Amino acid sequence: MIRFRPRRRAVLAVTVLATALPFVSAVRPTQPAAAEPARAPSHVRITTAYELPGTKVYPEGITVDPYTGDLYAGSYEDGTIFRMTPGRRVAERFLPAGADGRTKALGLKVDRARRLWAISADTGVAVYDLRSRRLLARFDIAGQDAHLVNDLAIAPDGSAYLTDSLRAVVYRVTPRRLAWVRRHGGHAPLTPAFDLSGVVEPHEPGTVTLNGIVADRSGRFLLVVDMTGGDLFRVDLFTRGVHKLSLDGGDLRYADGMELRHGTLWVAHANPTANSISRWRITRDGRSARAERRVTDQALQLPTTLVRADGTLYVVRSQLDKGGPVGQGTPQTPFTIASVHGL
């Protein structure tokens, strides 16, 4: 596997960049990667949808407000949250860098109440009102053990589920818990709901495991990916059981952000040698998945996550390996969000 040399400034030296690339000695696969096509098929179209202002943005997460169609992306470099409005090429800075302890913005989600959930890798997750931009509540990691709060999903009942890539646990914040915290100071610890350390393939200490997470629209289960082992897990929200899916046609190594719609799962693979997006068909019981298609194109510029809106996939071109948190080189500016059609 390709190894990357981190910059000397303070970073999470034992993790994958905010859900993407391995730091030195962070991810050590036990099997060679499967061969991948060199370019995307001609009928898959990758274009630039939005530009993000700034010379060192290194975006990581993305989400959509279903009521307005606005997209939101976060900077791994300094925690800035950007808003992208349909019809406007250049995004605006929606929440400033470093606000509320948010120094490295990772997973983002907008819930049905139009609240923006924004993860900061070092601390936890902050919840904002989209209309006023006001901070409503914060949920932070307790204790001194190594951690990396990475991605999140909102279940149909409004509960938020968040992955921790170094502890192999999934945290939960229910609507009732959020309401209670808002009434009592607006600050509380994150509480683990599921421990997957017993089912995730054993890895060396400090290896990034759990990353992308999605919720089934019926509210029955979550799907959580181990980006190092390439496995996909089903977390039953009623029985609390955890099962590894049977994958037909490949694995999910380097898998980062995911999007689940009507049984179709799209996955961003943050592999700098083969920038890819894959599409999978999930069975109705959520116990197996079949690979349907995979496209690889350097124009994706190290995709860390994606979101689907109005039939279009919007993909984060992170460039984290181009002079960013890991990797040397010079990024292309402005940083951009890609639109992908035909996958």
Side-chain angles (χ1 to χ4, degrees), residues 37-267:
R39 296 287 296 177
S42 59
H43 52 279
V44 173
R45 186 162 55 95
I46 302 172
T47 58
T48 296
Y50 296 101
E51 298 176 1
L52 305 177
T55 59
K56 293 185 177 181
V57 177
Y58 297 106
E60 204 285 331
I62 192 169
T63 189
V64 62
D65 179 353
Y67 296 96
T68 65
D70 291 344
L71 297 169
Y72 295 84
S75 168
Y76 182 82
E77 180 73 12
D78 61 16
T80 300
I81 304 296
F82 299 90
R83 178 167 65 185
M84 294 155 280
T85 302
R88 298 181 181 178
R89 177 79 166 187
V90 180
E92 65 171 310
R93 289 181 174 88
F94 183 74
L95 295 173
D100 310 308
R102 188 187 60 258
T103 57
K104 296 179 179 68
L106 305 190
L108 302 173
K109 281 292 182 295
V110 174
D111 65 18
R112 291 182 178 178
R114 299 201 65 217
R115 294 177 295 230
L116 174 66
W117 297 68
I119 287 178
S120 182
D122 297 332
T123 55
V125 64
V127 187
Y128 296 89
D129 179 85
L130 277 182
R131 299 173 184 84
S132 65
R133 310 190 191 193
R134 182 170 61 92
L135 176 68
L136 301 177
R138 275 183 51 183
F139 297 86
D140 292 339
I141 292 292
Q144 300 300 314
D145 293 342
H147 60 269
L148 172 61
V149 187
N150 202 322
D151 203 359
L152 76 157
I154 306 293
D157 71 350
S159 295
Y161 293 89
L162 306 90
T163 55
D164 191 316
S165 297
L166 297 182
R167 296 182 177 182
V169 301
V170 175
Y171 304 104
R172 177 177 59 199
V173 179
T174 65
R176 179 177 296 182
R177 176 67 169 162
L178 175 60
W180 188 92
V181 170
R182 290 184 61 185
R183 293 194 303 268
H184 295 82
H187 190 207
L190 277 174
T191 304
F194 299 96
D195 186 344
L196 278 69
S197 59
V199 296
V200 170
E201 174 185 328
H203 301 296
E204 294 183 10
T207 298
V208 169
T209 55
L210 303 186
N211 197 325
I213 182 171
V214 291
D216 169 56
R217 64 180 302 190
S218 71
R220 295 177 300 158
F221 60 85
L222 308 170
L223 296 178
V224 187
V225 71
D226 169 9
M227 73 176 305
T228 301
D231 296 319
L232 188 63
F233 297 93
R234 178 189 191 275
V235 178
D236 193 297
L237 295 178
F238 295 101
T239 68
R240 302 183 63 80
V242 180
H243 304 279
K244 184 166 71 173
L245 273 72
S246 172
L247 301 180
D248 179 12
D251 61 33
L252 289 171
R253 288 184 56 225
Y254 295 101
D256 198 327
M258 305 190 297
E259 177 85 340
L260 180 65
R261 296 287 184 92
H262 307 290
T264 297
L265 181 73
W266 291 271
V267 182

Side-chain angles (χ1 to χ4, degrees), residues 47 49 259 261 307-315 338-342:
T47 58
E259 177 85 340
R261 296 287 184 92
V307 67
R308 189 169 176 85
D310 295 327
T312 298
L313 282 176
Y314 292 95
V315 182
S339 60
V340 179
H341 296 269

